[in-house]
Structures are given as C-alpha cells and as structure tokens.
Amino acid sequence: MDSAEFAALESEIYRGLQAILRELDSLQPVINKGMLRWTLHKKVQSDPVRNLALVRVAVKELERAERVDLKTHIIPLLHTLIYAVIQAAYIPDDLYKRIYNACKRLLTLPQPFCTVGLSYTRLLKTERTSPGLLYQRMLVSEHNLRNEHYPLQEWVFVFADPVVFSESLGLVLRADIETAGQTETHLSLMQKVVQRSLQAALGEEHCHGPTLAQALQELEDVECYFGEVLAAVEQSAADCKNEDSQNHLIKKLQQLYTQVLLSTGKDPLSRGSLADVPLPCPDMSFHMWWEEEELWRELTKFIRSSSFSDSFSLSPDDFDLPDLATDLDSEMPRHSIMSTDSGIERDMQPAESSDTEWGGGRSVRADAGQVRLSRRGGMKVKPSVTDSMALMQDALEDTAGSRRTLQRKAGQSNTLLQQQRHFTANIVVMGDDRVLGRLARAYYWLRKREARRLFLTKKVNIKMFYIPVTTQPSNPATEDVLNSNPCVLGSYLGMVDPWYECNISSLGLMIPKLAATCDLSRPHEPNPFLADVISYYVRMGQQPVYFAIYYVKIVFSNLTKEPVEEVFLSRLDIDFPEFKMHHRTVKEMSMRQKKAPVELCGALISLSYTKVSLSNREAEKGLSLRTTGVQISAIPTNRTEDLNCLTVELSNTKTKCSSGSKIRTCSLRLKTPEKTGFSVCLDKDLRRTFRDVQSIEIEPCKDPGYYIQKSVMSKFTSEEDVDTGLSKLMNRGLPLPINTFAGIIP
C-alpha cells in the first residue's frame, strides 16, 4: 500500500475515532452508545493495515489530549490505543517508542491517569522487547492452553439475576455468550499464537503472513512449535534487562519460521503482507443466579477442572461444599464448630421458616427446608501462618491511615507486591442494585469461610465486574432519584467514569430488547456484540472502585425469634406500614378534615449514631422523633456528596432538629417502642424483607484478615495498643471492588 492510500485509510480511521469522542462528550442520552467503539475495533481486527493506522491515529490524538489538557479523552484514547496494540500484527520500533513515551508522560498527571498510565507503561516496556507477549499471554490464559511456561488461567463467569432476566432472555444470552469463546479449537488457538508471535517479531521484511498461515494449517506437529515459540518469548520477557534479549528472540523465531515453511514445502525467503490474527473472546459461562452458594461452587469447579490442578496437590476435602452459613456475625469467625446433635436422623429438628420473604419466582432459599443428612467434615482449629498471611495481604492498603478517611478508594495497588495466583476468576454480574446486594453477601460469606478454612484465597484472584440491567428505566424528572432509579450504583460508576457510561451502562437498555428481537421458534444465530463488549470490559477494565459492605443486626419484636445478621451494599429501607397507611389517609382528606388536629404523624423512634466529617472528628449523637420511614443510602447521587459513608434521611418528620437535614454516619442504632415494629428491606430486594422488627444495628463489615492480625498482636501487646505494626496498614472494613476503566475521575 502506497503512502496516498495509507493516508486515506488514516483519514477514515480518524473520522471514526472522532465520532466516538463526540459521542462520549454528548450530554444527550444515546441508546446505542458503545456501538461505534465496537464497530471500529471489529473493522480493524480483520485488517492488519487498518489496525496499524488506528495505532498511529490514536497515539496522535492521545498526545494532542495531553497538550491541550483534555482529560476526559485521555482514558478512552489510551484504552483504544492499547487494545489496538495488543491485536496489531506488527508495530515498528519507532512507533513503540512513541507510544511508550506518551504513556510515560501520564505519570505526571493526578489520579487516576497516572495509575492507568503506569500500568500500561510497564506492559509496553515488556512488549517492546518481547513482541507478541501480551497477545500470547492473553490467549493462553483465557483459553487454558496447557503449557509449562505460562501457567496462569482465567475464566469469565456471567451471573444474571433471574428476577430481571426472563427465561427466554436467559436462553438468548447463554447462546450469545457461551458460543463466542467456543468457536476455536485448541489446535487453531496454538496456530494463532505461533502466527502472531512470528509476525510481531519479524514484520513484513522477514515474514509472509498468508504463506505462514497456510503452512501452519498443513503442519502436523503444531503443538511442538507452539511450545518453542512460547518458551522463546517468555524467556525474552524474563531477560528484558539484557540488551541482547530481543536480538536472540528474533534469531530464534526466524529459525522457527524457516523450519515451519521448509517442513511444508514453502519458500522460506517469501516476503510480503501480514495476515490478520484476531483475538478471540475468552472462555465464558452464563449462569442464572438462583443460589448464592453457586458462586463458591463455580469457583471450585474452575480449579478442579483446570489442567494445572494436579500441581496444587488438592485433597478431596478442599472441594467439600458445606451449607451456606446463616450467621453473618461482624466479629471474627470461629476457627472451629462444635456439633450438638446426636447424629440420629429422627433427633434432627425440622428446619424453621425463614424470617425473610422471598418473591419473584424460584427463591434463593427455596430448598432450605430440605436438610442435608450428611455430617460436615472436621475443620482446622487454627489457620496456619501461611494461610493467615494470605488473608492479611488482601487487607493491606497502600498508605497508612487511609482507612480512616471518607474518600472512596479506587484504582489498583501499585506499592505492595501481591502474591501471584495461578487462577483469575472474572465475575460479571448483570442486573440492578438487588444483584449487587446478593454479590456483597456472597463475597462476605466467602471471605468468612476462607478465614475458617483457607482454600480459594491462595489460588484464585477474584475480579468483579458489573453491567447494570433493568426492565424499569429510571425517570430523571422524579424528585426521589434513589427510589426511581433501580441501578443507583451503576449510575454512580457512569458518573465517575465516562468510558464506563459509554460502553457498559448503555447495555442496560439494549440487553432486554434481545429477546424481543429473537424468534425462539427458529434456531438462534449467536450475536457477537454482547460477548465482544464483555471481553473488552474484562480485559481493559482493571481499575476497581471500592464500596463498603455494611453489616446489620436485626432484632424482632417477638423475642422467641432469633436475631438475624445480614449485610447490604447500597440501601436499607425502614417502613412503618401502619403509620404509612395513616399518612396516605391524611393526604386524601378534604380541606375541612385536614384542619382537625391529627394526633399521630409517625412512629416514635430512638436513633443513636456516630456523626462523621471530613476532618475525621467523630461525635456521638442521639435523637428521638416521629417518622413514617427511614432511608439509609450508601451510594451518592452526585459528585458533591461523594463520601464513603451512610446518608440517613427521615420521612415526614415534625421535629426541628431533623428538618430538611441529612445524617452522615458509618454506624448507627435504631429502635422503636411501638408494638407493631417496622419492616426492613435490604438493597431494594423484596426477597430480603424482614417484618416485625424492633431494632437494628448497622456498622461496616470487618475484614477477616484484619482480625487475624489483631488476634496475633493481642498476644504481645496490651488491649489499648493492638492497632500497631501491620494493623495500621490494614483495612478494618471489607470493601466490594467493582472494576471500571478508570476508577474515579475527579
């Protein structure tokens, strides 16, 4: 291709990239946001020349955004550039140097630009000395190709809330998602690795892509060459500090290229154009999330079915799946459990009915009454030092004292060297705020179970992603934004990360329409759009935003009922049904009737809380008043109120001390002397509604890793000096990290 044709191609790519940026800056709601980005990447991945043109145009626009300080475009351009670099057939060294310098200049910018820039600077430095490394590692890990040189494996688990997703929609999504990663055989994937690595290292001057692709198709022993290419590239990456490592790599791959062509009767001196080697979607599985313990079950299956599981010496007891714990005590879990039953079936007590009302079809605890007649295996009395350190490492923070601020934490940790784990589970949940509440509960239960008996923590790196989907679109004109918006947390992520809003939040209105456009009477032809977007999100969305998980203890008016310990993530609603109906009746009165004095204006409550402020000065407060309801929210609706704490709002109060004010706290106690009590709903989920409640206590969930360190230090220090050593650097609370593209952009 001559210079004029390439310039015309660059002009076309430039117009497409500018259309994406205009869509990003548009304040008008666009239903198909993200489609332009998908179309551009789909167009260039099948044409090496177009892909190279996108790399050149994207780095020019990134440099321009840095010069004019257009920060809203930096993160989108950076992700577009790196995604094109990963899939490019060949990039000249001078262009690699230009991209590396552009990313390195981002280190002078504030968070989150410096964090994302540092992550990609490290990747590009290794990719420049070992061309094809990123593509090779991504394909090997995402498709679990057995080898001796890069043992890391990944899997994408997509969990959908059955309350939001109908059965017909679930069938459509399962076909679209699971078939996307199964279009290639292991043999074809190995051919892709060999083709991509040889082209990336040799370029057009020493390699002819179509001839190499044909030779690999005819080659019988592809696995042997796959192992040699993998070993050569990985060895070059390990010796990246050696100046001659790249030259050794090129010589080795040139020899392999010649051997492949000679073994199939091709001309080893052939030169010319390069062939496209598109990156396939990773292995993914789709699940309708009926039971919370399915998360643990799928993770254990992932490790057990792995081709590398033999190297871990796993015992059968490691895969024992005990019943889901019903207690969610905020304190450190016990290290042993004492059995009180006789072991005889007739002596077992019948299962008590749950205090939680479950609606919307098949319930999460639909089979709770079916008692498993199998004795649980013995548990370790005390975790080992190695197990304790694995949990403590997850609780460590970047800087001392940051856990005491109200600023929400976001971004990857760069100061602490995390232990490398061979498995990565990418958990993608789809639904509204209710599915995130269930995810928080499942994650908290998993961490507590790991504190009792460590299994997953040392082996699996868990990353969580969220796609907000709802069948009830929010109404922006409504005054009560929290009640009208079923995806408050998704709206928050779109507010702090515009690239998330453009590519992920827009799926919320598109996904429910898939079932309506499909004819279930005919064989469904999979649509690659959703699988491609999920793949892009999982690969490029590596900056987590941390949300506090809150523990709540619920005490009932009926003293015969045991208190319930639960967790919530985004919202807790308290209603007084009797007074709420009375309030509605007052509204429906005539003007003459309203003039008559109304004795009651709500239920009497007593509220004690710890008031928090940006200065970290805490003050104990208390008040008594009448109200018809209380809304406790953990997710802000605007940037000015973006604090990592709870916001308490009281409905229809008549007390001066609470008129028009919001209470900000991290812990509180609320009780009522009313005989009827009140109802509690967690994360807007009617399946998690508790009635006839007398009092509640709320506080942040405690991380098991913190209590392990605290128990160790308590042996050597007094009770007042327990927060010393590593405890100062550890997070007391247990946050839920949701990955985005940028974290939080101020």
Side-chain angles (χ1 to χ4, degrees), residues 406 608-613 616-622 662-667:
L406 295 180
S608 58
Y609 62 96
T610 303
K611 184 179 179 180
V612 296
S613 62
N616 292 334
R617 296 177 181 176
E618 298 180 350
E620 298 292 335
K621 300 284 185 180
K662 296 180 180 179
I663 299 174
R664 290 186 174 86
T665 181
C666 289
S667 60

Side-chain angles (χ1 to χ4, degrees), residues 27-39:
L27 299 179
Q28 299 296 328
V30 180
I31 297 178
N32 295 328
K33 261 189 175 183
M35 187 68 73
L36 292 177
R37 197 268 331 153
W38 176 76
T39 304

Side-chain angles (χ1 to χ4, degrees), residues 30-32 165 169 172-173 469-471 473 506-519:
V30 180
I31 297 178
N32 295 328
F165 293 83
L169 180 57
V172 173
L173 295 181
V469 180
T470 179
T471 55
S506 58
L507 293 176
L509 298 178
M510 298 172 62
I511 291 178
K513 297 179 181 179
L514 294 177
T517 57
C518 296
D519 187 1

Side-chain angles (χ1 to χ4, degrees), residues 76-308:
L77 287 171
L78 188 57
H79 286 307
T80 303
L81 172 62
I82 299 301
Y83 205 60
V85 168
I86 294 174
Q87 304 196 73
Y90 173 75
I91 297 179
D93 188 69
D94 59 337
L95 186 56
Y96 260 130
K97 184 177 180 181
R98 185 176 177 181
I99 299 170
Y100 176 78
N101 291 333
C103 292
K104 192 166 64 172
R105 284 193 295 270
L106 296 178
L107 302 182
T108 61
L109 299 180
Q111 292 277 12
F113 307 102
C114 60
T115 303
V116 182
L118 177 61
S119 175
Y120 285 146
T121 300
R122 291 171 173 170
L123 292 179
L124 288 169
K125 184 177 181 179
T126 309
E127 177 71 11
R128 185 182 176 187
T129 57
S130 307
L133 180 69
L134 296 180
Y135 181 98
Q136 175 179 290
R137 287 182 172 179
M138 193 170 288
L139 193 144
V140 168
S141 62
E142 291 178 349
H143 295 276
N144 303 331
L145 297 183
R146 189 179 185 90
N147 66 90
E148 300 176 355
H149 309 286
Y150 191 70
L152 304 188
Q153 296 189 13
E154 295 187 20
W155 193 275
V156 179
F157 301 90
V158 182
F159 289 91
D161 191 349
V163 177
V164 177
F165 293 83
S166 61
E167 184 177 355
S168 59
L169 180 57
L171 294 175
V172 173
L173 295 181
R174 184 184 300 275
D176 290 346
I177 292 174
E178 293 188 348
T179 56
Q182 300 172 358
T183 56
E184 304 278 353
T185 64
H186 274 206
L187 181 62
S188 64
L189 293 173
M190 291 180 183
Q191 293 172 354
K192 283 179 176 290
V193 171
V194 176
Q195 175 98 22
R196 174 66 172 79
S197 299
L198 293 180
Q199 290 187 160
L202 303 179
E204 293 182 351
E205 296 182 0
H206 303 282
C207 178
H208 187 249
T211 303
L212 177 61
Q214 186 178 359
L216 290 174
Q217 291 288 340
E218 301 173 2
L219 197 64
E220 295 181 357
D221 194 11
V222 176
E223 187 172 357
C224 178
Y225 286 97
F226 165 76
E228 290 194 48
V229 169
L230 200 67
V233 177
E234 288 294 337
Q235 183 63 38
S236 176
D239 300 336
C240 60
K241 295 182 180 181
N242 187 355
E243 297 180 356
D244 297 330
S245 62
Q246 186 175 7
N247 295 330
H248 292 321
L249 174 64
I250 294 176
K251 289 180 181 179
K252 176 63 177 177
L253 295 183
Q254 184 69 60
Q255 294 175 1
L256 294 175
Y257 173 76
T258 304
Q259 292 176 13
V260 170
L261 295 189
L262 288 177
S263 61
T264 54
K266 303 292 190 301
D267 182 11
L269 300 179
S270 58
R271 307 286 183 267
S273 61
L274 301 178
D276 63 291
V277 192
L279 184 65
C281 293
D283 288 338
M284 294 185 282
S285 59
F286 179 82
H287 311 268
M288 295 295 281
W289 200 10
W290 294 108
E291 300 178 357
E292 289 179 1
E293 63 179 349
E294 185 178 0
L295 179 64
W296 162 266
R297 189 181 299 118
E298 292 300 326
L299 292 179
T300 54
K301 286 180 181 178
F302 170 44
I303 299 178
R304 181 166 48 184
S305 62
S306 166
S307 58
F308 299 100

Side-chain angles (χ1 to χ4, degrees), residues 432-433 436 466 468 481-495 547 570-571 633-637 684:
D432 50 26
D433 290 336
L436 286 174
Y466 172 50
V481 179
L482 291 176
N483 286 328
S484 63
N485 187 0
C487 300
V488 174
L489 194 142
S491 299
Y492 171 81
L493 292 177
M495 177 180 63
F547 297 92
S570 60
R571 185 179 170 99
S633 175
I635 310 299
T637 57
K684 307 177 189 175

